[in-house]
């Protein structure tokens, strides 16, 4: 499977450096290594979800408990979480660090991913969610750290879009 | 059985727990009995109270977390039962007030009014202990047992579809949220 193990390790390492202790996730191809690395990490609790919106509640609970958390999901999972984001994270000012695999854009071969690719950034903008499109390996650590810093200081959801260039080795 | 009587019967039991409620009648009624800094009322995001309780319970294993859920909310996030069952925190008590109705929007019947069995769903999802209660005495016993027990428990409390005249309290959402987190921080220091 040509999902980048090297870059998955880099992201996982960065999450550790950010003191992320709880990660909720719903599997998708690009995230398989990242989810496995989280699962094998004794310092992290992995919560495998039935649906991504649950992660908003779980991260809110973690935040109340003083534990830093992250959400791993595909962009379609972000679409499925929007009510939770608006009527919990935004309404109650809950910081969320959302790592979202950005499917359905340039280079996408799966037809079923393409509509979600079209609407991901417009929806993030409409929701007022700060986001960064992560496609350069050199900036991974810095941008994820910055995203977490902003989420914690602004008490709001912040998204990092994980692109094909980063997650996939052709 | 009235939800307010259920809440009143266990109010003193809630003192040392972290409590998360759903929106609507449950929040307003618990608040009317006397707000405490360990109560968080999730006034929207239907379905996510149980997920919030799960996040709290996993991060604070030494604290008892009680979620006051409802049939309408749980039906919106049935997957939460399977996620809770998967991790089955022993310090989580999941109460579902089932009035077979979406009361706060005008009393539309939910699927539990036509036979959907939430206790059965909880058990089949893998919740280690699922019980249904229909009188206040049994409710109190079930909740007290669950709080002092060591198994993830879902309690389905069949209640009447009645509630308070209004749902807005004088506690702002953000005040409640910051107070709740600060309360937990103070527990960690003590």
């Amino acid at each position: 499977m040509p999902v980048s193990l090297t870059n998955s390790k880099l992201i996982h390492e960065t999450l550790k450096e950010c003191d992320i202790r709880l990660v909720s996730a719903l599997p998708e191809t690009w995230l398989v290594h990242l989810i496995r690395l989280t699962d094998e990490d004794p310092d992290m609790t992995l919560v495998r979800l039935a649906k991504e919106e649950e992660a908003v509640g779980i991260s809110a609970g973690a935040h109340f408990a003083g534990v830093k958390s992250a959400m791993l999901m595909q962009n379609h999972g972000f679409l499925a979480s929007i009510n939770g984001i608006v009527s919990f994270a935004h309404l109650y000012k809950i910081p969320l660090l959302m790592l979202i695999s950005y499917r359905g854009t340039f280079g996408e071969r799966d037809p079923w991913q393409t509509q979600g690719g079209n609407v991901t950034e417009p929806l993030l903008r409409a929701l007022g969610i700060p986001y960064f499109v992560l496609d350069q390996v050199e900036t991974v650590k810095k941008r994820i750290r910055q995203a977490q810093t902003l989420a914690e200081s602004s008490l709001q959801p912040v998204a990092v879009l994980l692109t094909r260039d980063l997650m996939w080795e052709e | 059985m009235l939800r307010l009587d259920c809440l009143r019967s266990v109010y003193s039991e809630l003192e040392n727990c972290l409590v998360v409620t759903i929106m609507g009648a449950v929040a307003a009624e618990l608040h009317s009995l006397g707000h405490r800094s360990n109560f968080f009322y999730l006034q929207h995001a239907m379905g996510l109270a149980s997920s919030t309780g799960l996040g709290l319970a996993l991060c604070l294993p030494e604290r008892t977390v009680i979620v006051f859920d409802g049939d309408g909310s749980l039906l919106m996030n049935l997957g939460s039962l399977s996620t809770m069952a998967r991790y089955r925190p022993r310090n989580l008590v999941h109460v579902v007030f089932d009035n077979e109705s979406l009361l706060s929007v005008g009393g539309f019947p939910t699927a539990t009014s036509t036979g959907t069995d939430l206790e059965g769903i909880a058990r089949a999802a893998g919740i280690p202990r699922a019980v249904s209660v229909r009188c206040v005495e049994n409710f109190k016993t079930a909740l007290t047992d669950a709080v002092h027990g060591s198994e993830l428990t879902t309690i389905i409390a069949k209640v009447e579809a009645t509630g308070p005249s209004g749902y807005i309290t004088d506690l702002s959402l953000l005040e409640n949220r910051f107070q709740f987190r600060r309360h937990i921080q103070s527990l960690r220091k003590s």
Side-chain angles (χ1 to χ4, degrees):
Chain A
M1 187 184 299
V3 180
S4 172
L5 180 58
T6 313
N7 291 346
S8 300
K9 279 183 177 164
L10 183 65
I11 296 167
H12 174 250
E13 207 178 291
T14 310
L15 293 176
K16 278 180 84 72
E17 286 168 13
C18 291
D19 196 29
I20 300 294
R21 297 299 176 94
L22 185 145
V23 174
S24 34
L26 205 127
E28 95 106 3
T29 312
W30 293 6
L31 301 175
V32 286
H33 294 314
L34 205 41
I35 290 172
R36 182 180 45 77
L37 290 163
T38 306
D39 199 22
E40 289 168 357
D41 188 334
D43 296 329
M44 286 186 176
T45 300
L46 172 69
V47 182
R48 295 176 190 269
L49 307 165
K51 193 176 179 181
E52 294 86 348
E53 192 186 14
E54 294 171 64
V56 178
I58 291 167
S59 275
H63 172 69
F64 292 146
V67 171
K68 294 194 169 70
S69 70
M71 300 156 65
L72 286 182
M73 58 178 70
Q74 197 195 75
N75 46 350
H76 293 83
F78 158 66
L79 301 188
S81 308
I82 286 178
N83 182 51
I85 289 168
V86 173
S87 56
F88 196 165
H90 281 158
L91 190 62
Y92 282 93
K93 294 189 75 67
I94 306 294
L96 299 178
L97 176 59
M98 303 191 292
L99 302 187
I100 300 169
S101 60
Y102 196 4
R103 301 298 307 265
T105 62
F106 282 27
E108 180 65 60
R109 292 192 188 92
D110 296 343
W112 45 88
Q113 305 287 9
T114 55
Q115 280 302 310
N118 286 349
V119 300
T120 300
E121 288 189 67
L123 279 169
L124 284 164
R125 281 196 293 273
L127 292 164
I129 296 175
Y131 69 93
F132 189 84
V133 181
L134 200 56
D135 54 4
Q136 310 261 333
V137 65
E138 300 76 28
T139 57
V140 165
K141 285 209 169 199
K142 189 175 173 184
R143 293 306 183 202
I144 292 177
R145 246 189 254 127
Q146 289 177 332
Q148 194 211 19
T149 302
L150 180 61
E152 293 284 334
S153 64
S154 62
L155 300 174
Q156 67 179 336
V158 174
V160 175
L161 297 176
L162 308 175
T163 59
R164 171 177 300 270
D165 286 358
L166 190 70
M167 302 308 290
W168 197 255
E169 287 167 355
E170 300 286 353
Chain B
M1 179 163 73
L2 295 178
R3 182 181 42 245
L4 183 60
D5 291 337
C6 292
L7 290 169
R8 192 179 283 122
S9 76
V10 298
Y11 184 76
S12 61
E13 196 68 50
L14 306 180
E15 191 166 353
N16 294 314
C17 303
L18 299 172
V19 179
V20 177
T21 80
I22 58 160
M23 66 193 296
V26 187
E29 287 180 350
L30 181 61
H31 185 273
S32 75
L33 293 172
H35 173 64
R36 286 178 176 155
S37 58
N38 56 321
F39 298 169
F40 175 68
Y41 315 96
L42 180 55
Q43 296 284 15
H44 213 318
M46 280 181 75
L48 294 188
S50 55
S51 307
T52 308
L54 177 61
L56 278 166
L58 290 174
C59 292
L60 299 168
E62 72 285 7
R63 294 283 159 188
T64 300
V65 177
I66 301 177
V67 173
F68 289 121
D69 211 338
D71 51 309
S73 283
L74 183 57
L75 286 166
M76 283 198 194
N77 187 11
L78 282 174
S80 183
L81 286 170
S82 62
T83 308
M84 285 192 287
R86 191 164 194 167
Y87 300 96
R88 51 187 70 191
R90 301 153 73 95
N91 56 328
L92 180 59
V93 181
H94 179 220
V95 176
V96 185
F97 288 116
D98 180 4
N99 61 10
E100 304 184 357
S101 165
L102 290 161
L103 184 67
S104 64
V105 290
F108 296 94
T110 67
T112 62
S113 73
T114 54
T116 296
D117 168 15
L118 290 175
E119 182 198 329
I121 293 174
R123 187 170 294 122
I127 301 286
R129 196 154 178 275
V131 292
S132 292
V133 291
R134 291 170 184 278
C135 73
V136 174
E137 199 181 325
N138 289 351
F139 174 79
K140 188 178 179 181
T141 306
L143 187 117
T144 310
D145 287 352
V147 165
H148 298 286
S150 56
E151 246 181 347
L152 169 63
T153 304
T154 294
I155 300 166
I156 310 296
K158 297 294 272 189
V159 293
E160 288 173 39
T162 55
S165 52
Y167 299 112
I168 296 176
T169 68
D170 63 358
L171 181 68
S172 87
L173 308 191
L174 290 178
E175 183 182 2
N176 178 214
R177 165 253 191 273
F178 285 112
Q179 186 187 53
F180 185 66
R181 185 166 194 260
R182 210 168 277 285
H183 171 81
I184 295 171
Q185 281 173 331
S186 72
L187 295 174
R188 301 197 118 193
K189 280 175 203 146
S190 61

